[in-house]
Amino acid sequence: METTRRPVRRPRQSHPLTQPQRPGRAPVTCAPGATRKLPVLPVRNAVVLPNMVVPLYLDREPALLAVEDAAAHDGHLLIVAQRSPDLTDPTADDVYAIGTECEITRTLQLPDGATSVTVRGLRRFKVSQWAQVAPYGVARGAATEEQAVTGNQADALRRSTLQLLEHCARQSERFTEDQYIQALNIPTLGALADYIVTQLEPPIQERQAILEQFEPLARLRAVSQLLRRELDVLELERKITGEVEQEADRGHREFLIRTQIQALRKELGERDPGMAELDELRERIEAAGMPTAVEERIQRDLRRLEAMPSMAPESTVIRGYLDTVLALPWRTASKDQLDLRAAAATLDAHHSGLHTVKDRILEFIAMRKLSPQGRAPVLCLVGAPGVGKTSLGRSVAEALGRQFVRISLGGVRDEAEIRGHRRTYVGALPGRIIQAIKQAGTSNPVLLLDEVDKMAADFRGDPSAALLEVLDPEQNAAFADHFLEVPFDLSKVLFILTANVANAIPGPLRDRLEMIEVPGYTEDEKLHIAKRFLIPRQMRECGLSETRIAFTDDAIRRVIRDYAFEAGVRGLEREIAAIARQVARKVAEGSRAKASITAQRVPTYLGPQRYFPPEAEDRDEVGVATGLACTSAGGELISVEVTSVPGRGVLQLTGQLGEVMRESAQAALTFARSRGVHLELPADFHEVSDLHVHLPAGGIPKDGPSAGVTMATAMISALTGKPVRRDVAMTGEITLRGRVLPVGGVKDKVLAAHRAGIHTVLLPARNLRDLDAMAPAIRASIEVIPVESMDDVLRHALATQSAAKPQPRRRAAASRVRSAEPQAACSPGELPPAARVARSRQSD
Ligand code: ADP
């Protein structure tokens, strides 16, 4: 059975109580409570309430039959709501048990063949039983008559409900004034409730609940709740609509207000701040002294800014850009002081020693003096941390009377860090070079590019390529920063680069640099630097005068040896600062005594000794040779240990050795085998012994060829049982024929040997001239023996008498010498492990 209300042409439901009764149709009267049978017309999406007039559209057979049945009797039928609107053929269980007895007031045949009936709700009807279910339903049940309710409570409820309805009528288009007036005229509470629900049209379940509420007071109370909810929704609706309208209006209103403000300003003879800002920008552009092409470009941006509303997001971007461009020193430059004597005095005032470095810097200043437009080479100061590279750069700036800015390049992987981000990126900035120029405020500062060897290339581009352009005198007169978009002249800038290890600087960049090695310091030099520079500076920082604190030389030496064992003096300055701070605290707490820092008292300030310097072995050992390594932390001592054990000729290499170092070990072994007889090695050692070569501090990768000589010495010692002299350290690359080739970092290596108390260093003969610039005191304390071949090395390195316990050896048949599984790769050699080899050794 399918009965629906026609969806499109649904007229507004009317209410007979509020409408004139049609003539000739008297209201049906029936004894309330009497059980009757009525044909049933189920409807979906509708609940027909008493006194409601509803047109229904019938297009299914059972509905038509039910209507026909009703028409054949008294024209009454029962209309019930379906529980689920989706059902097309509802059974007795699918409809509510309470419906409305209705009378058919009109039947119409529609042009499409369907039938429409108009029904009027009469009274609530409760189904007790179904008399028939097919072909259409017939229900048995009783109708209820409405009780009249009077009294104060009824009046109060009626009044408050009508008030709510009045509010609704005022706020909503759903209720008209007319409907409110009609409601005023409904005499009974129950009928009033039904009328309001008819107009309110809450969801089906709520309408059904109202239908099922037989008690008029309770029904009206429920309806007044619905009205209250409707009012809340109306209020919210009004607010949202208001906000949307307000938003749309704001732009328009803002425009009007701005126009008015402008008019008022004009009236008062005042200038518009937006215009004033643009005028100021125009003046700044004219005063900046930019090249013509650049100025034209910037003027274009200014014109764009003028044409834009001041609140447009892009205007902020253009303003930021113009501010950056105008903050650049387009024609501000400092005047160079090229007085060589004054420059030398400035360098000496901040740094002791470093004569070679200072000479090179003074030569450079002389060049600028004689040929101001000439292309000066780019200086690169190479040395371990804390040897004074940065402060030398600062002194050069001071000596020349130029501004100084340091740019740290350590860890820079993105080309945009050098060259800037394009303006299209959100939060774009100029690159570090242009930022540094802006910071300097002059177009010819000294820019110190710190740690160039720590830059790395990745998918974001190669920063070293951008740096090449910065440093190249052919290109840097028109350096193009992506953010700036206009060229900036960097040709007047003096670039100084620093690096810990020269080899780690990308090749093309290295070729353009003039390397100046800044070697590490000896203990005496450190003592001198501490006394003359570091201690006075830290005393100044802590506000301590000489009457408050004094360091003995022994105390400083103890700090150098036991707390800050390093090539430079940064750690030393840190420890001195720690002592000075503690003394300052005591003084601030009221102590009047002068703190005398002696060697014995150093641990009370700095705690137990932190560093045990690597020392030469305490006795001559078999299979242990001392090599000299060069790391990013300066020179280091490193032991090479070799043990020969019975086996089949395997060469095992451990200690994270890199490819170059592993090949060095192979070359050393092959050399030993080829010279077996001459070296008095056991004839078949390569068949019956395995050799294990180990470089301690196995957690640190090592690479480079300069340990070749040391490995060969340790191997030959292990095989012959002749101990290696503990007071000899060596470095050098080995060839298959036993020749010793030169290596890098010699000065730092010799200094490391000096620090460790080694007195004899075997150095490739061709490295000897590297020591020319070495302090005479060190040259005097160390015997440097030039070596050209392994024979020279062994003659000086092996002790004359054999060790007490030679290593065990055993004969066997196999004849292979092969290396063990490759271990990861690094170096006593040129390449730098980041960590300190010697420090790790001490912690073993
Ligand atoms: P680097 O740049 O080589 O790592 P710094 O220039 O930062 O080293 O130097 C560290 C500290 O050591 C600075 O305070 C510096 O003044 C001081 N220093 C280094 N070498 C000397 C020296 N020869 N004379 C005086 N002070 C020095």
Side-chain angles (χ1 to χ4, degrees), residues 494-510:
L494 173 57
F495 291 102
I496 298 181
L497 276 62
T498 79
N500 291 143
V501 181
N503 282 7
I505 302 175
L509 194 57
R510 202 170 51 217

Side-chain angles (χ1 to χ4, degrees), residues 696-710:
I700 300 165
K702 312 166 189 75
D703 204 359
S706 72
V709 162
T710 323

Side-chain angles (χ1 to χ4, degrees), residues 350-352 386-391 521 533 537 569-570 573:
H350 298 296
H351 298 90
S352 75
V387 292
K389 302 181 295 295
T390 311
S391 57
Y521 298 111
F533 298 98
R537 181 157 59 223
V569 291
R570 191 175 293 155
E573 184 165 15

Side-chain angles (χ1 to χ4, degrees), residues 29 43 60 64 69 91 189 225 259 292 316-317 338 416 420 423 428 443 471 596 602 608 680 689 728 757 818 836:
T29 51
V43 292
R60 301 283 304 267
L64 290 168
D69 181 355
T91 63
L189 290 194
Q225 290 290 342
T259 320
T292 323
T316 326
V317 177
L338 295 171
R423 264 203 282 164
S443 59
L471 301 178
S596 170
V602 167
E680 298 173 15
S689 320
V728 172
R818 57 184 159 89
R836 313 263 325 264

Side-chain angles (χ1 to χ4, degrees), residues 33-59:
T35 304
R36 305 170 52 214
K37 277 205 301 185
L38 282 178
V40 181
L41 183 59
V43 292
R44 339 180 243 201
N45 292 325
V47 173
V48 179
L49 288 159
N51 298 317
M52 192 169 156
V53 177
V54 190
L56 296 171
Y57 176 77
L58 316 176
D59 60 350

